[in-house]
Amino acid sequence: NRNMEFEDMQVVWNSQHDKPLYGVDEVGLHKILRSKSQRFHRLIYWQHIQTYGSSAFMLMAIAAILLANVSGLLGKVDSLRALAGWEIVALLVAMVAWLQFSLSVYLGQKQQKIRERSDTQSLLEDLDREIKHTTYQIRTRKHILMGFIPPYFGTGLFISIVFGVTGVSNWILSPVIVGLILGLIIESRSQRRLIEREMVPRLSELETLRDKLADPQH
């Protein structure tokens, strides 16, 4: 339980509160901080895995259709027609949308790692690094809806073209588009809940602990 773990840190701190600063059990606090940080980093890691996995899947699917069209396979297989010129362009746009999405996540993560890179030794240094990391994660999700629009748009283009090539009725496309819009809204709200329930409380806890260590009289 996240709140109990922070209470554990407070217990460690309170047990040393009346001692000189050099007597504070920073080792105990440091171990708890790193344990909590590892769990938080694993959460972010799996979100990135989902991003890269879905991007790789969509890019391979789009590339497969384009290659099948270039090879003439689409025109030869029964019920599968060749791509029209505008459909090829639309698939390329979908590919760019997914590339932009995955690259923006990767480059943002890489730049943040460079900013956080340091051989931290002290508890305060680790706290500062984790505060920066958590602040970055919150900032990147503040406009999460806009960030998810390109991949969802690309997916919509991909599905509509696949339906067109395979001869699926346009009537089926309408509920699929509605489903994508609902998925976009649900994903956005899920990320906002993550900010409110996990990241903002975590940032507050880290800042509180840092302030206590920086000013042991409070």
Side-chain angles (χ1 to χ4, degrees):
N1 183 282
R2 175 172 47 80
N3 291 328
M4 288 302 295
E5 287 168 351
F6 185 58
E7 288 176 6
D8 292 340
M9 285 195 287
Q10 294 284 42
V11 168
V12 175
W13 170 264
N14 291 334
S15 68
Q16 302 289 337
H17 196 275
D18 296 328
K19 298 182 180 181
L21 185 59
Y22 62 79
V24 174
D25 186 5
E26 291 197 14
V27 174
L29 289 174
H30 215 161
K31 287 181 179 179
I32 296 172
L33 171 65
R34 287 183 171 175
S35 176
K36 289 167 66 70
S37 296
Q38 286 175 357
R39 287 193 287 275
F40 181 74
H41 284 268
R42 279 197 297 268
L43 172 65
I44 302 302
Y45 171 80
W46 283 112
Q47 287 202 338
H48 288 156
I49 289 296
Q50 292 173 13
T51 295
Y52 301 140
S54 58
S55 298
F57 174 81
M58 287 302 301
L59 290 171
M60 287 189 294
I62 295 170
I65 292 180
L66 291 172
L67 289 173
N69 185 70
V70 170
S71 66
L73 183 62
L74 289 183
K76 295 176 182 178
V77 178
D78 292 340
S79 74
L80 294 180
R81 64 169 178 80
L83 294 170
W86 71 269
E87 290 174 324
I88 294 174
V89 173
L91 284 174
L92 292 174
V93 170
M95 184 175 284
V96 169
W98 273 99
L99 280 171
Q100 183 274 333
F101 174 61
S102 57
L103 282 175
S104 65
V105 173
Y106 171 75
L107 292 176
Q109 180 189 12
K110 184 177 180 181
Q111 291 173 357
Q112 184 62 22
K113 281 185 176 181
I114 292 174
R115 286 192 289 266
E116 295 174 4
R117 185 180 298 164
S118 63
D119 296 325
T120 57
Q121 299 293 331
S122 71
L123 174 57
L124 276 173
E125 288 173 332
D126 261 354
L127 278 169
D128 284 335
R129 185 181 63 179
E130 290 303 319
I131 287 171
K132 289 177 183 177
H133 182 75
T134 307
T135 301
Y136 169 76
Q137 295 298 332
I138 293 173
R139 186 173 65 249
T140 57
R141 287 167 172 77
K142 280 190 174 180
H143 306 288
I144 198 71
L145 182 62
M146 297 301 296
F148 278 124
I149 286 178
Y152 273 85
F153 175 72
T155 301
L157 284 177
F158 172 78
I159 293 175
S160 64
I161 291 169
V162 169
F163 281 8
V165 169
T166 56
V168 175
S169 172
N170 289 333
W171 288 104
I172 300 179
L173 183 61
S174 297
V176 171
I177 298 301
V178 171
L180 286 173
I181 294 173
L182 289 175
L184 176 61
I185 294 172
I186 291 171
E187 183 68 31
S188 176
R189 289 185 175 179
S190 175
Q191 292 295 323
R192 290 186 182 279
R193 281 197 299 271
L194 177 64
I195 292 174
E196 295 169 359
R197 297 179 182 179
E198 294 288 338
M199 296 186 178
V200 170
R202 169 180 166 78
L203 180 61
S204 177
E205 291 172 357
L206 292 171
E207 290 176 336
T208 298
L209 184 56
R210 182 187 61 182
D211 291 344
K212 281 183 174 292
L213 286 171
D215 187 359
Q217 299 303 317
H218 293 83

